[in-house]
Amino acid sequence: MLTTAFALVFFYAPVDADQGIIQKIFYVHVPLAIVALCGFVAGGIFGLMHLRTRDRRWDMRSYVTIHLSIVLAVGVLITGSIWARASWGQWFVWDEPMLVVFLIVFLLYATYQPLRFSIEDPEKQSRYASVFAITAGAFVPLCFGAVRMAEGLTHPQAATMTTSGPASVSQTFLISLIGMALLFVTLCKYEMASKNATFKLRALRRRLAGEDDDFAAPVARSAAPQL
Amino acid sequence: MFLLALSGGDRYVAGAYLVFVFLVLAYLAIMAVKLARIEREVVELAEIAEQRDRPTEDKQPASERAKAKKETVA
């Protein structure tokens, strides 16, 4: 899907009359940002489910979603900086609210892993992390909603760029967005499967160690949830 | 080198897309390393389980037995 999207970006979508070829960054930067922010919100929802059900699997989902969203957010910041440099001549513009808000959100979530790692008790760790995920997850739409309502038109708006141009722009953008969302879900499932396999192996090792202590591996302190 | 060969805006566009590809590849590489570790652990646990099922006189791990068998054949 993403390959199709990128092929459309370069062979189907028209070159922007105002920004020229650099507008093509839009098709990777904006879907990345939307998926990363949705991932943060989803992490909050999973955290809420964890607090409601006390099921550790929800905490695991919340952890994986936020972890992957942080990785995508790094991509957003780098591609955004490249676009800003090409378009405005500066790597980062401090008086641009959207950029600064995204940076604040990123820095907020950058504390998620250290927070988890600092709490030794797995039960407390998952509970506190869920509270953090819910609070920060609610902060994301609130912040971006406020900026959207208050700011001028300095930052290019995804909605304006896709609806004012030809249909090929909105179609390419939509396919890029769907591709990015599918990539996010696939990578989430991949990481979840890997984590589950690790925990099952650990449980198996503990079972075997029940008869002989030589096989018991010490459980290392980790930021990841313990199932 | 590839980026330097490009002109003006092309360079920035290529850079942005390469950053994205690099991020995804780096993530997949880290996950592959983790997967390899899981595989090693599975082999190790299988050997332990095999050792337990076997009578007490034969305590040699499967990998060592395979190695010994190879040496005998050679």
Side-chain angles (χ1 to χ4, degrees):
Chain A
M1 192 78 176
L2 263 182
T3 316
T4 313
F6 289 165
L8 287 176
V9 168
F10 293 105
F11 300 111
Y12 178 62
V15 175
D16 190 66
D18 178 36
Q19 293 198 42
I21 188 91
I22 55 168
Q23 187 266 345
K24 303 266 183 199
I25 299 175
F26 161 81
Y27 299 105
V28 69
H29 172 72
V30 180
L32 261 180
I34 292 173
V35 172
L37 294 174
C38 288
F40 288 140
V41 176
I45 295 167
F46 293 150
L48 186 68
M49 292 303 291
H50 170 247
L51 288 185
R52 276 174 67 94
T53 60
R54 298 278 169 191
D55 185 346
R56 288 271 181 87
R57 278 173 301 180
W58 286 111
D59 182 40
M60 173 64 87
R61 285 179 193 128
S62 176
Y63 170 81
V64 170
T65 315
I66 290 173
H67 177 231
L68 201 54
S69 293
I70 292 171
V71 175
L72 295 193
V74 171
V76 175
L77 286 172
I78 298 173
T79 54
S81 290
I82 293 171
W83 197 3
R85 173 74 181 169
S87 194
W88 302 326
Q90 281 172 298
W91 292 106
F92 199 88
V93 184
W94 288 100
D95 56 1
E96 169 53 63
M98 194 63 80
L99 266 68
V100 178
V101 163
F102 196 89
L103 184 66
I104 291 170
V105 167
F106 171 74
L107 292 176
L108 174 71
Y109 276 98
T111 62
Y112 179 72
Q113 298 262 355
L115 169 82
R116 290 197 76 113
F117 193 77
S118 65
I119 305 164
E120 213 163 339
D121 178 24
E123 181 58 43
K124 272 188 185 171
Q125 185 196 61
S126 54
R127 210 161 354 113
Y128 292 176
S130 291
V131 172
F132 176 93
I134 295 165
T135 320
F139 175 77
V140 170
L142 208 68
C143 261
F144 282 89
V147 168
R148 277 259 180 254
M149 282 189 277
E151 80 167 345
L153 293 170
T154 34
H155 192 86
Q157 309 277 314
T160 325
M161 288 182 88
T162 50
T163 52
S164 62
S168 57
V169 174
S170 54
Q171 285 162 1
T172 310
F173 173 73
L174 196 67
I175 292 171
S176 294
L177 184 61
I178 294 169
M180 205 64 80
L182 288 177
L183 176 76
F184 183 82
V185 173
T186 310
L187 292 181
C188 269
K189 281 186 176 290
Y190 186 32
E191 191 170 339
M192 286 281 293
S194 157
K195 290 253 183 286
N196 282 333
T198 308
F199 290 125
K200 279 189 180 140
L201 272 177
R202 203 175 285 168
L204 190 62
R205 193 179 273 275
R206 269 202 298 270
R207 244 177 93 182
L208 285 168
E211 293 164 38
D212 190 346
D213 281 344
D214 290 348
F215 301 129
V219 178
R221 190 167 162 182
S222 166
Q226 311 288 316
L227 286 181
Chain B
M1 285 300 122
F2 163 72
L3 286 180
L4 290 175
L6 294 171
S7 64
D10 295 352
R11 194 166 29 177
Y12 291 111
V13 176
Y17 280 84
L18 282 178
V19 163
F20 170 71
V21 171
F22 173 76
L23 266 180
V24 174
L25 287 182
Y27 184 85
L28 287 177
I30 292 167
M31 292 306 292
V33 169
K34 283 185 181 176
L35 207 62
R37 197 167 57 205
I38 290 172
E39 196 189 359
R40 272 202 307 274
E41 272 189 52
V42 169
V43 171
E44 200 183 318
L45 286 179
E47 277 181 359
I48 292 168
E50 203 181 313
Q51 230 175 359
R52 277 163 185 258
D53 291 343
R54 222 179 304 126
T56 47
E57 66 269 15
D58 187 10
K59 281 277 182 187
Q60 204 178 18
S63 58
E64 282 181 27
R65 271 187 288 117
K67 204 175 159 187
K69 200 177 169 185
K70 244 187 219 173
E71 281 169 6
T72 317
V73 171

